[in-house]
Amino acid sequence: MTMPKDLEVDSVLLREVMTQELVRDGVLDDPGWLAAVAEVPRHRFVPGFYLAAGEPDEHGLTVWEPVTAELDYGRWLATAYSDATLITQFDGRDPDWSAPRVRHGGAPTSSSTLPSLVLRMWADAEVAEGHTVLEVGTGSGYSTALACERLGSADVTSIEVDPDRLAVAADALYGCGYTPTLAVADGLYGYWPEARFDRIVAACSFRSVPDALIAQTRPGGKILLTLSGWLYGYARVLLTVAEDGTAEGPLLPGTVSFMSVRAHAAPTLGNPAHWAAGLPEKGRAARYGPERITAATAEAFHLRFLAQCAVPDAQMTTVGDVVHLVDVVSGSVASLTPGDGEWEVREAGPVKLWERVEDVVEAFDFAGRPGPELFGLRMNGGEQRLLHPRMPMLELPGRPG
């Protein structure tokens, strides 16, 4: 399909509308980022993407619909300039955009992050003119283009672990006139050839802060990244690096999630029935049910991250009404079964998984249910400690990246 002759006119108008909406919603108040959003043509970075259909299929799998200019020009362009995350890859493999098909299920592994979050990340990292920046996770290249527009290409380095994704992003960036330093590299190790940086911003999540990123940041520089884990609890942290190589900073408010860096993805846990077979026949009444960390609320989102700190190797899966926690590292397992107004918990293995989660919930309630902004994170010699004056039990060593 030949693109309509009025594509550039249409895109300029839609970009103006998106910019105005971001201003109206309080996302944009910095003239520099405002100018960047108004200038960067997002549609050049998303020639094809997938959107979730309204209902799952008969097996409960998400139905993903391909969107391209060839399939539906109007939908493609309007969505490109909406404040939405656009999925561009599943299970580490690029779709065949010459003949895209509807997908059923699959794990998204690359995307173009919604513009409001991209801007929020750059703003929260306190990025300003004159800073040298490392972006971890080039993705589609749209956020890289915004940084180049604001800072100049010479001060921007962006790395991506997937060479095919980087090649597509590079074509779009160079085609728009942006020439940042690009490299195929693993975010766990940063990019030494361009270090040290004033700011490091990660568009992916980590189980712990990689030591290499701290070492590649100038003293006084800042690192903004998202911490996650196998319970899919998330927290954003803004660290300032000191002269002695330690790093410390607050958790940031809000509910944000990013795809995990691939080396930190959760391992396959096997058949939950096999794990449950080793549980005792009788359990005990749970002090708290799983809804405390699974409810669709900001507090549960935050509490899930705190619980994850106590059981960093645990994964959660639900079969019917039964909730299983499985730790493939220690071999521990816990199952929660709903009863008459309460949950029964059965546990086996060296780690009492749900008991640890209950202890965190109890301490959280006793401390007055503090929000994420009341916690700090300290990195020192490979140790990761989450700090809160009334929750000392969460000052636990982290897992080195």
Side-chain angles (χ1 to χ4, degrees):
M1 171 183 170
T2 302
M3 290 292 181
K5 293 181 179 179
D6 54 357
L7 169 61
E8 293 306 319
V9 174
D10 291 343
S11 65
V12 169
L13 293 175
L14 288 171
R15 198 152 59 244
E16 290 176 355
V17 171
M18 184 178 75
T19 304
Q20 292 167 5
E21 289 176 346
L22 292 171
V23 171
R24 181 199 64 199
D25 294 341
V27 176
L28 276 177
D29 59 7
D30 182 304
W33 291 118
L34 182 67
V37 173
E39 184 65 28
V40 176
R42 191 187 188 203
H43 70 276
R44 299 278 293 275
F45 297 89
V46 285
F49 50 85
Y50 276 84
L51 297 176
E55 298 292 335
D57 67 14
E58 65 273 17
H59 303 294
L61 299 175
T62 301
V63 178
W64 296 98
E65 299 175 342
V67 181
T68 66
E70 290 78 6
L71 292 172
D72 188 333
Y73 169 78
R75 186 187 189 193
W76 166 73
L77 192 60
T79 307
Y81 288 104
S82 67
D83 192 29
T85 292
L86 309 177
I87 305 301
T88 55
Q89 186 190 73
F90 293 88
D91 303 317
R93 295 181 179 181
D94 285 342
D96 178 4
W97 290 114
S98 65
R101 298 178 180 180
V102 172
R103 294 183 56 95
H104 292 254
T109 48
S110 190
S111 66
S112 176
T113 303
L114 65 162
S116 61
L117 179 53
V118 171
L119 293 163
R120 181 178 172 186
M121 295 288 287
W122 289 127
D124 285 347
E126 302 171 10
V127 173
E129 287 83 353
H131 284 156
T132 55
V133 172
L134 171 65
E135 177 189 42
V136 178
T138 311
S140 71
Y142 175 67
S143 61
T144 318
L146 290 174
C148 290
E149 186 67 37
R150 174 68 191 271
L151 305 175
S153 296
D155 287 332
V156 178
T157 298
S158 186
I159 60 175
E160 170 63 48
V161 71
D162 187 322
D164 294 331
R165 282 280 84 215
L166 188 65
V168 173
D171 285 345
L173 285 162
Y174 298 152
C176 291
Y178 302 116
T179 57
T181 298
L182 301 175
V184 177
D186 191 322
L188 290 177
Y189 307 102
Y191 198 61
W192 278 107
E194 297 294 318
R196 296 184 174 181
F197 301 97
D198 296 301
R199 297 291 186 270
I200 295 179
V201 178
C204 52
S205 65
F206 300 84
R207 294 188 73 195
S208 61
V209 182
D211 291 339
L213 298 188
I214 296 174
Q216 291 173 29
T217 304
R218 299 182 195 279
K222 297 179 184 293
I223 302 170
L224 178 67
L225 51 71
T226 301
L227 295 173
S228 66
W230 297 347
L231 283 184
Y232 299 103
Y234 296 89
R236 290 192 310 145
V237 62
L238 180 63
L239 298 170
T240 300
V241 176
E243 290 278 355
D244 62 1
T246 60
E248 187 170 347
L251 302 190
L252 301 183
T255 55
V256 171
S257 62
F258 275 104
M259 297 173 190
S260 175
V261 63
R262 297 187 186 184
H264 282 186
T268 302
L269 57 84
N271 188 336
H274 296 166
W275 292 90
L279 290 167
E281 290 186 9
K282 291 187 177 181
R284 62 174 175 84
R287 285 180 278 161
Y288 304 97
E291 66 277 358
R292 284 300 303 271
I293 64 172
T294 61
T297 65
E299 180 180 278
F301 186 93
H302 170 49
L303 188 51
R304 192 179 183 111
F305 172 76
L306 299 182
Q308 183 176 266
C309 294
V311 288
D313 297 320
Q315 299 179 63
M316 180 180 288
T317 184
T318 302
V319 180
D321 294 330
V322 181
V323 177
H324 300 283
L325 268 73
V326 173
D327 182 336
V328 302
V329 176
S330 71
S332 303
V333 62
S335 288
L336 292 108
T337 305
D340 187 13
E342 64 181 18
W343 290 80
E344 180 190 50
V345 59
R346 295 178 296 151
E347 297 178 286
V351 180
K352 301 300 183 186
L353 296 173
W354 193 249
E355 184 176 320
R356 285 195 178 184
V357 172
E358 290 173 319
D359 289 344
V360 171
V361 176
E362 186 172 81
F364 177 75
D365 288 347
F366 182 76
R369 299 186 172 187
E373 64 278 4
L374 298 178
F375 289 81
L377 187 78
R378 179 182 300 148
M379 295 292 301
N380 185 9
E383 287 190 337
Q384 175 178 285
R385 294 182 178 271
L386 191 63
L387 308 175
H388 185 275
R390 298 183 66 186
M391 294 186 69
M393 63 171 295
L394 288 179
E395 296 184 23
L396 300 173
R399 307 184 71 83

